[in-house]
Amino acid sequence: MLRALRNPGVRAALASAILFGAGTPLAKLLLDDDVSPWLLAGLLYCGSGIGLGLYRLIRRAPRVGVTRAEMLPLAGAVFFGGIAGPVLLMLGLSTMPASGASLLLNAEGVFTAALAWFVFRENVDRRIAIGMLAIVAGAVVLSIPSGASFGSPWPSLAILGACLSWGLDNNLTRKVALTDATWLAAVKGGVAGPVNLVLAFALGAHLPGVANIAASMVVGLFAYGISLVLFIVAMRHVGTARAGAYYSIAPFFGAVLAIALGDPISWPVIVAGILMAAGVWLHLTERHEHEHTHEAITHDHWHTHDEHHQHDHTPDLELTANGWHKHEHTHAAITHTHEHYPDTHHRHTH
């Protein structure tokens, strides 16, 4: 387990879940009770997009180039995650009890994993599947401590459609995960923020005070922006399904923070914590090793000279070759055996 925790993708996924989970109780403290969830989502996403955009300007981050092959997955991720998901969620929540909606929203993790395993052919074994089920079961326990009401089937289908959209968003984002993560998160926030604000105003929402708006956008920067950056980094290193599983424990961190802020400890939180801990343990103690072949590929991303990055440099890059550096490079075809995750460099069949 300690070996797994040394993996940067595992650490990034857990940190992403902590930030996102903490965002919910903090946002509830910042906004009035009568603020619509769409207005809140719009402010959080805007905080993410604007904050990361300013960060890139201050750092003078280099311009991001997207290849023609990456344009369609990126457009699909922005559409499904920033437009289709919020719209479908709005349609579902408008006529559905909140208890049933909370339960159905746990389907995002299931859809993310199912699409990764069965459509995008990411590796899965019994241990990982059971771990995912335990994590989702813990999220379900947190969602309906006092029962759930669903109403008519159409709102339920709309919310499941939103979860499917976000599952597609996660899997399509993985295809461009080597692109600058801060840029990807800024683009998503820049699209999802205005979309949610337009939906909120169309439903008659009104803006709260300036201080609450600013505070909500700061929470959005961390809970939606930096959290998404970390999630993208996690997908590079451990694959979509495993990153999504770790991310699904976010409600538990939110519940723990809520308890720290004054909420009572309840049996659902304890049971959920046990289930999620068991699921994460199953994932952290995974060992996946076999002979596999890397096809020759040329791409551009940040890397160090590990066993998968053995190449020469031009003289101007030689000074940075011993640390993290970025340039177009070619991987020669190679067949070898070692322990690995379904990361960016291990997208092979089994």
Side-chain angles (χ1 to χ4, degrees):
M1 189 164 69
L2 292 176
R3 182 189 67 254
L5 286 172
R6 287 193 291 267
N7 184 291
V10 172
R11 295 199 301 268
L14 293 174
S16 175
I18 291 171
L19 287 175
F20 185 76
T24 300
L26 290 176
K28 287 182 179 178
L29 288 177
L30 293 169
L31 292 176
D32 299 328
D33 293 337
D34 59 345
V35 172
S36 94
W38 260 265
L39 184 63
L40 173 58
L43 292 173
L44 293 170
Y45 276 122
C46 283
S48 166
I50 294 172
L52 290 174
L54 289 174
Y55 167 78
R56 292 182 57 78
L57 283 175
I58 293 170
R59 280 198 60 210
R60 296 185 179 180
R63 204 169 178 180
V64 173
V66 181
T67 66
R68 183 173 296 182
E70 293 173 330
M71 286 182 179
L72 189 58
L74 176 60
V78 171
F79 171 77
F80 285 111
I83 299 175
V87 169
L88 287 169
L89 184 60
M90 179 199 70
L91 293 174
L93 284 182
S94 61
T95 56
M96 184 177 186
S99 59
S102 297
L103 175 61
L104 290 177
L105 284 171
N106 291 301
E108 179 186 348
V110 177
F111 281 131
T112 295
L115 287 168
W117 294 335
F118 302 115
V119 177
F120 295 93
R121 312 306 298 172
E122 190 172 292
N123 167 254
V124 60
D125 57 29
R126 184 181 302 173
R127 186 185 194 86
I128 294 301
I130 294 174
M132 181 69 196
L133 289 174
I135 292 170
V136 171
V140 169
V141 169
L142 280 178
S143 300
I144 49 167
S146 58
S149 176
F150 293 95
S152 68
W154 294 113
S156 299
L157 289 175
I159 291 179
L160 289 174
C163 293
L164 178 60
S165 294
W166 289 319
L168 284 167
D169 168 25
N170 292 335
N171 279 278
L172 291 172
T173 298
R174 184 196 171 176
K175 289 184 170 292
V176 294
L178 288 179
T179 305
D180 189 314
T182 60
W183 181 82
L184 287 172
V187 169
K188 285 190 171 186
V191 172
V195 167
N196 280 276
L197 287 179
V198 168
L199 292 172
F201 292 136
L203 293 173
H206 300 284
L207 286 173
V210 174
N212 279 349
I213 292 175
S216 299
M217 292 179 71
V218 170
V219 171
L221 171 60
F222 286 90
Y224 282 53
I226 298 175
S227 174
L228 178 56
V229 170
L230 291 168
F231 185 73
I232 292 171
V233 171
M235 287 194 292
R236 294 176 187 168
H237 292 278
V238 299
T240 310
R242 287 160 179 80
Y246 291 127
Y247 196 74
S248 296
I249 67 176
F252 178 73
F253 289 118
V256 170
L257 180 58
I259 290 170
L261 294 173
D263 283 4
I265 298 176
S266 62
W267 279 110
V269 173
I270 296 173
V271 173
I274 293 172
L275 287 169
M276 290 181 172
V280 170
W281 176 80
L282 286 169
H283 279 224
L284 291 178
T285 53
E286 171 195 16
R287 292 187 66 90
H288 181 76
E289 181 175 349
H290 60 91
E291 183 178 271
H292 56 277
T293 297
H294 297 268
E295 304 294 338
I297 186 175
T298 298
H299 58 187
D300 185 348
H301 66 95
W302 288 97
H303 61 278
T304 57
H305 281 184
D306 55 22
E307 61 184 319
H308 297 102
H309 294 89
Q310 299 295 326
H311 49 255
D312 296 325
H313 291 86
T314 57
D316 59 322
L317 284 171
E318 194 62 41
L319 293 176
T320 62
N322 291 325
W324 285 95
H325 57 289
K326 183 177 185 292
H327 61 91
E328 185 177 271
H329 56 279
T330 298
H331 296 267
I334 182 175
T335 298
H336 60 181
T337 300
H338 66 92
E339 187 178 353
H340 59 278
Y341 286 97
D343 56 31
T344 301
H345 294 96
H346 294 90
R347 299 181 181 177
H348 50 254
T349 56
H350 291 78

